[in-house]
Amino acid sequence: MITVTKTFFPDLKEYEKQLERVWKNKWLTNRGELVLELEQKLNGYLSTENIIITNNGTVPLQIALKILGNQGEIITTPFSYVATTSSIIWENCTPVFVDIHPDYLTIDETKIEAAITPKTTAILATHVFGNPCEVEAIAAIAKKHNLKVIYDAAHSFGVTYKGTSLFNYGDVSTCSFHATKLFHTGEGGAMFCQDKTLFHQLFYSHNFGHNGPLEFHGLGINAKISELQAAMGLAVLPHMATILSERKKVVDYYNENLDFNQLKTMTIRNNTTWNYSYYPVILPSEAILLKVQQALNYANIIPRRYFYPSLNTIEYVDQPNQTMPVSESVAKRILSLPLYVGLTTEELEQITAIINQNAC
Ligand SMILES: *Cc1c(COP(=O)(O)O)cnc(C)c1O
C-alpha cells in the first residue's frame, strides 16, 4: 500500500544507543539530558535561539492562545489542520476566519484588517504545507492594531524565509514533531519565542508554572516531552539531509510529470527555502477529485484530503455567517499526494499516470 506519508525510522541500533543513555541515567522526564541535548541540537540545526520542545504541537498552541489570546477574537485561517481552530475554541477564544490566497493557500493578509474588531486580541495563521504567510505585512497590521501574532508552523521544520528560520517570525511560533511530520519524535512539538519575558512565561507555563520545587511563577500546564521521545529525535535528526534530498526527488518528479493543464499545485512564496513537506494538487472540481481518489485507491494508493473540510464549516464552529469562498472551494478540490523517503520511481510513475488519466 502507498500512503500519503510513511514515518521515517532510523536504524533501531541508533535508537537503542540513545535509549542506553536513558537507562544509564535512570531519568525519564522533567527535562533530562536528552531533552536538553535535543533542544541544543535543534537550535543549531534550525539556526534558532529560543526553542522549548514539548509533548506535541497542539499544547503549545493552547499555551500561546491562553497567554496572548485572552478569550478574545482570534483572526485565523480556515485552511489548516483542525488543531488550529479547535485550540482557539478550547481556550475560550472565538475564531474569526479570513479567507486564503488561492495560490499560496495561506491567510490573505489583505483581508485581515476588515476582520479586526475591538475584541480582537491575536492573529493565528498557519504556514500551510510549510509555505510562509506574508509575515511582514502581518507584522505591520499587528503592530498598527496592537495585536499578537502566533504562527502554527507545524509544517515548517527547516523552512527559511529571507535567510532566517520561519520559526523566528511572530510573537510565538509552534511546530509539531508528530510521526507524520517531516522531523519527528513519535509525538512531540516545540514553541519558539524571541521576547525574553514572553519566553519565560511560555517556559514556566509548559511545566506547571514551577519556579523550583516549592514555588510558582504563575499558572501552568504540562507540555513536557519525555527522554524516550527526545531519544527518537536525536536518532532522526542526523538523517535530515537524506530525508530532505529524498523528498526533493519526489517533488521534482511530480513537478516534471504531472499534467499542469488539468491541475495545479501551490505556489511557494518568493525568498523561501522550502522543506518538501507536502505535495498538494488542486483539481478542477470535487467530482474530479473523487474520481482521481477512487482510481488511486483502486491501485492501493491512498492520498489524503489535506485539508478538508474548510474549518469555518465544522459544526462546532458557531460562525454561520462566515463564508470563505476560496478556502471552501480549495478544500473540496485538494489532495495531498504520497511523499516520503523510499517512494520508488515505478511507484511515482504509477501515481502520476493514474492522476493524469483521471484529472479531466
Ligand atoms: C499536525 C498539526 C498540528 C498538531 O500537531 P500534533 O503534534 O499532532 O499535536 C497542528 N497544526 C497543524 C497545521 C498540523 O498539521
Side-chain angles (χ1 to χ4, degrees), residues 56-59 61 80-81 83-84 126 152 154-155 175-178 180-181 187-189 278 307:
N56 61 45
T58 303
V59 180
L61 283 175
S80 182
Y81 182 58
T84 315
T126 302
D152 182 341
H155 307 162
C175 192
S176 167
F177 302 157
H178 184 259
T180 56
K181 301 300 204 292
E187 291 272 2
Y278 296 84
F307 289 103

Side-chain angles (χ1 to χ4, degrees), residues 67-116:
I67 295 172
L68 302 176
N70 253 323
Q71 308 195 9
E73 291 179 359
I74 312 294
I75 291 183
T76 191
T77 175
F79 189 71
S80 182
Y81 182 58
V82 69
T84 315
T85 297
S86 61
S87 305
I88 293 173
I89 297 172
W90 198 265
E91 290 305 327
N92 292 315
C93 298
T94 306
V96 174
F97 293 98
V98 165
D99 211 347
I100 58 167
H101 193 282
D103 300 321
Y104 300 123
L105 309 181
T106 48
I107 196 166
D108 184 343
E109 67 283 353
T110 65
K111 296 183 177 150
I112 289 177
E113 278 197 287
I116 296 173

